[in-house]
Amino acid sequence: CLGADLKERAKMDDAEVGLFVRRLRNLMDEIAALPVPTIAAIDGYALGGGLELALACDLRVAASSAKMGLIETTRGLLPGAGGTQRLPRCVGIGLAKELIFTGRQIDGQQAFSMGLVNHSVPQNSEGDAAYQRALALAKEILPQAPFAVKMGKLAINRGMEVDIASGMAIEGMCYAQNIPTRDRQEGMAAFREKRPPRFIGK
């Protein structure tokens, strides 16, 4: 994903551009708020809005040959769909500023070394190495208790927005919601009985 169609954007007036970017930001926020884990697989380009889309996901996997960057400053723009907020939370303020200020493109291995992606894999002959690794990662998550994963995601996301004491309170509230679930009881029973749990998401 190479981001917005700049030829289309050039035909918009200022008000239309503002509305377009607000809608795009809202879409990225909705993706980030999904109650299930999301994984971005980057096998080719993720530039501008494409990288902002990947940043809105919980996890990112990239082929080592993938190209990504928040390149908006090279076009007289700045990231407007969450990039200025999500990138620093992912790689740290200094690296985020460097990448945004320069508009630099990086490959999958560089992205992995700075913590932008969880995994970098060599590209395969089919061109879907990141997708295949993302699928394997999803298969690792799938057998886990759905409600516990949902609450874990909520606790992490909300906790990152506040001080640690407030974050601990958020974790406590999420944990309290998980206590009465049938899946928690099933997990404990499966452990006692030395068998795999059969979670149902309740």
Side-chain angles (χ1 to χ4, degrees), residues 6-189:
L6 296 182
K7 290 179 183 174
E8 177 188 47
R9 288 268 295 271
K11 297 175 186 173
M12 297 178 184
D13 63 31
D14 291 354
E16 290 171 322
V17 170
L19 179 61
F20 174 85
V21 173
R22 275 193 304 280
R23 286 180 173 165
L24 194 56
R25 188 179 309 115
N26 289 341
L27 172 64
M28 300 305 176
D29 289 345
E30 287 177 15
I31 290 167
L34 286 170
V36 295
T38 54
I39 306 171
I42 307 165
D43 275 306
Y45 288 94
L47 302 176
L51 183 54
E52 289 179 305
L53 173 59
L55 285 165
C57 293
D58 298 309
L59 307 172
R60 286 161 295 286
V61 178
S64 54
S65 58
K67 297 290 181 199
M68 58 201 86
L70 294 178
I71 60 169
E72 287 86 349
T73 58
T74 69
R75 302 293 184 262
L77 305 166
L78 72 145
T84 65
Q85 301 307 302
R86 291 190 175 99
L87 186 62
R89 285 168 169 81
C90 189
V91 302
I93 293 171
L95 274 174
K97 285 180 178 178
E98 181 177 337
L99 292 173
I100 291 171
F101 295 172
T102 64
R104 183 182 305 139
Q105 293 183 35
I106 59 173
D107 64 29
Q109 190 55 46
Q110 292 169 307
F112 175 72
S113 70
M114 64 179 62
L116 177 54
V117 298
N118 298 75
H119 302 276
S120 176
V121 293
Q123 187 54 278
N124 59 27
S125 58
E126 291 79 24
D128 69 349
Y131 171 76
Q132 292 302 326
R133 181 64 184 97
L135 197 57
L137 188 54
K139 288 178 181 177
E140 281 186 73
I141 297 168
L142 191 60
Q144 311 317 321
F147 191 77
V149 171
K150 175 183 174 179
M151 288 294 102
K153 176 175 176 171
L154 183 64
I156 292 167
N157 286 351
R158 294 292 178 256
M160 289 301 296
E161 298 169 357
V162 297
D163 63 273
I164 193 160
S166 300
M168 293 294 191
I170 291 168
E171 180 184 281
M173 288 185 285
C174 290
Y175 199 96
Q177 290 180 59
N178 193 68
I179 290 173
T181 65
R182 288 169 53 187
D183 278 353
R184 185 188 69 82
Q185 295 165 356
E186 166 62 13
M188 298 296 102

